[in-house]
Amino acid sequence: MSAMKRKPVQQKSQIRWKRKVLAALLVSLCLASFVVVETQYSRIVSLASLRHRFTVKPKIAFLFIARNRLPLDMIWDAFFKGEENVFSIYVHSRPGFLLNKGTTRSAVFLNRQANDSIQVDWGEATMIEAERILLRHALTDPYNERFVFVSDSCIPIYNFSYTYDYIMSTATSFVDSFADTKEGRYNPKMDPVIPVYNWRKGSQKSLPEFWRDRPFPADPAKEHNCIPDEHYVQTLLAQEGFEGEITQRSLTYSAWDLSASKDRERRGWHPVTYKFSDATPKLIKSIKDIDNIHYETENRREWCSSKGKPAPCFLFARKFTRPAALQLLNLSLLGARRGAKSET
């Protein structure tokens, strides 16, 4: 009897053991399946991310520095139309100013103002801080690969496609930079922190109409002889040894050589302001025809090129009033790929 009783007990024990083994196998199989699914999912996500990365074109970030409104917003609206996925816009205006339907007629500028803007004064270091604020915002988007500073009086002179291709086709940055120690611009007290051989100057990357808020000095040579944002980026790049990574010219045209003009607004420290009467085909053609820049202080002539071939030097121009810019747009003088130059 005892032997017969032990047999069913052993059988039950074996059955329980087999169930445990089967359960363990099922759990292991489930875990293995989960790991495989998780691994495949991660691979799929990674491949999708890579595919997205290669199909999404890099963007150009346009960094506008303005006093309040953007008076030429409709010019830029026409420039950006149809290119929504390959550009970003960031605007630095006075603190508290909002770009809404009451302050801009262009949808691309709505709510594009920096929420941490500062008060900017012409000729002061606050201009540099405004540029830094814009860059901080633009760098949060990983698809922004080029950064263009634009003033509120600046216009594009080619269409977006040509502008994008021109900027993206080079591995270098365009920064107007040249050695200039004349007129007391370099202060010997800066040595040895900033030695004279690293002191650089360039045309201002962005200059809104702040100067209209203050009168002209009786002797302009005695005021603002060293304007910070004309030197900061250029000298910083020289100090850090990055000059080999830049093309030492600007993409924005400004006319400075009008000191003999009888028009007070066209003299002194500021580029000429183009008015309605100036907005002619001849003006735009003359800007588009420029293919080299001479730097007198370095005895250097920069011949402009794109993709290894001769090309126009400038993609943008300033300073244009709203009537002048709208006149150019109405005459269809803005946006042509090469303007009056023939294709070769």
Side-chain angles (χ1 to χ4, degrees):
M1 290 292 292
S2 61
M4 293 178 66
K5 288 181 178 179
R6 283 198 298 270
K7 191 171 182 180
V9 171
Q10 289 175 349
Q11 289 177 342
K12 290 181 179 179
S13 177
Q14 289 176 353
I15 291 172
R16 284 197 296 269
W17 179 81
K18 288 180 179 180
R19 286 177 177 173
K20 289 181 179 179
V21 171
L22 181 60
L25 288 173
L26 288 173
V27 170
S28 299
L29 183 60
C30 289
L31 288 174
S33 300
F34 177 78
V35 170
V36 170
V37 171
E38 180 69 18
T39 302
Q40 292 300 319
Y41 176 77
S42 298
R43 290 182 61 189
I44 291 170
V45 170
S46 297
L47 289 172
S49 178
L50 284 173
R51 190 177 296 113
H52 179 71
R53 179 67 180 175
F54 284 111
T55 56
V56 175
K57 293 176 67 175
K59 296 191 291 187
I60 298 178
F62 288 84
L63 314 179
F64 288 82
I65 294 188
R67 183 172 56 178
N68 290 311
R69 296 171 180 261
L70 290 167
L72 309 185
D73 54 357
M74 296 310 296
I75 306 299
W76 288 99
D77 185 84
F79 174 73
F80 289 127
K81 190 175 293 295
E83 305 289 349
E84 286 74 14
N85 297 322
V86 286
F87 71 87
S88 301
I89 292 176
Y90 304 86
V91 182
H92 186 285
S93 291
R94 62 172 174 79
F97 181 80
L98 299 177
L99 284 163
N100 53 38
K101 291 184 179 180
T103 56
T104 179
R105 293 189 296 168
S106 171
V108 299
F109 288 105
L110 289 174
N111 302 314
R112 299 312 305 162
Q113 73 281 344
N115 57 10
D116 53 350
S117 63
I118 61 171
Q119 182 62 43
V120 174
D121 296 306
W122 180 80
E124 303 296 336
T126 48
M127 183 71 79
I128 297 171
E129 182 56 27
E131 293 173 353
R132 290 163 62 94
I133 289 171
L134 287 172
L135 280 173
R136 281 199 297 270
H137 284 281
L139 287 170
T140 61
D141 185 340
Y143 292 107
N144 288 335
E145 292 192 6
R146 297 291 189 274
F147 307 86
V148 178
F149 281 101
V150 187
S151 79
D152 56 3
S153 63
C154 184
I155 62 170
I157 58 176
Y158 294 101
N159 63 29
F160 186 92
S161 177
Y162 179 69
T163 302
Y164 182 93
D165 188 55
Y166 191 115
I167 294 174
M168 287 296 186
S169 65
T170 177
T172 60
S173 298
F174 292 92
V175 180
D176 191 32
S177 177
F178 53 90
D180 185 10
T181 57
K182 67 179 182 180
E183 299 178 359
R185 291 183 182 274
Y186 178 78
N187 188 336
K189 293 181 180 180
M190 293 188 289
D191 191 65
V193 177
I194 303 176
V196 66
Y197 55 79
N198 279 341
W199 184 241
R200 299 289 185 272
K201 184 183 182 299
S203 296
Q204 291 153 319
K205 295 174 293 303
S206 49
L207 178 62
E209 304 287 343
F210 299 118
W211 63 274
R212 293 187 184 275
D213 292 337
R214 54 188 302 166
F216 279 81
D219 183 0
K222 293 183 179 179
E223 183 171 339
H224 297 303
N225 200 33
C226 176
I227 300 172
D229 67 301
E230 288 184 337
H231 297 273
Y232 174 70
V233 171
Q234 294 84 350
T235 301
L236 179 64
L237 293 173
Q239 285 278 97
E240 298 297 325
F242 290 138
E243 286 192 301
E245 299 183 18
I246 66 173
T247 298
Q248 292 178 276
R249 64 180 177 89
S250 173
L251 295 177
T252 301
Y253 173 79
S254 300
W256 296 86
D257 190 20
L258 290 168
S259 57
S261 173
K262 294 181 180 179
D263 187 341
R264 188 183 179 100
E265 293 185 7
R266 299 185 176 221
R267 298 203 310 264
W269 290 82
H270 309 282
V272 59
T273 296
Y274 292 109
K275 301 177 181 179
F276 181 86
S277 59
D278 301 312
T280 64
K282 182 178 180 180
L283 170 65
I284 298 303
K285 182 179 183 301
S286 68
I287 298 173
K288 290 182 174 181
D289 282 348
I290 298 172
D291 59 4
N292 71 91
I293 305 170
H294 181 247
Y295 293 91
E296 183 180 355
T297 59
E298 295 181 335
N299 194 26
R300 169 173 64 92
R301 186 172 296 278
E302 185 80 24
W303 290 92
C304 303
S305 63
S306 176
K307 297 183 179 179
K309 298 180 181 180
C313 292
F314 301 110
L315 301 178
F316 312 99
R318 64 183 182 104
K319 301 169 49 176
F320 285 83
T321 61
R322 182 177 175 84
L326 291 175
Q327 167 75 346
L328 293 173
L329 190 62
N330 291 335
L331 294 175
S332 299
L333 297 178
L334 304 179
R337 184 177 183 275
R338 292 296 303 273
K341 287 192 171 185
S342 60
E343 295 289 344
T344 57

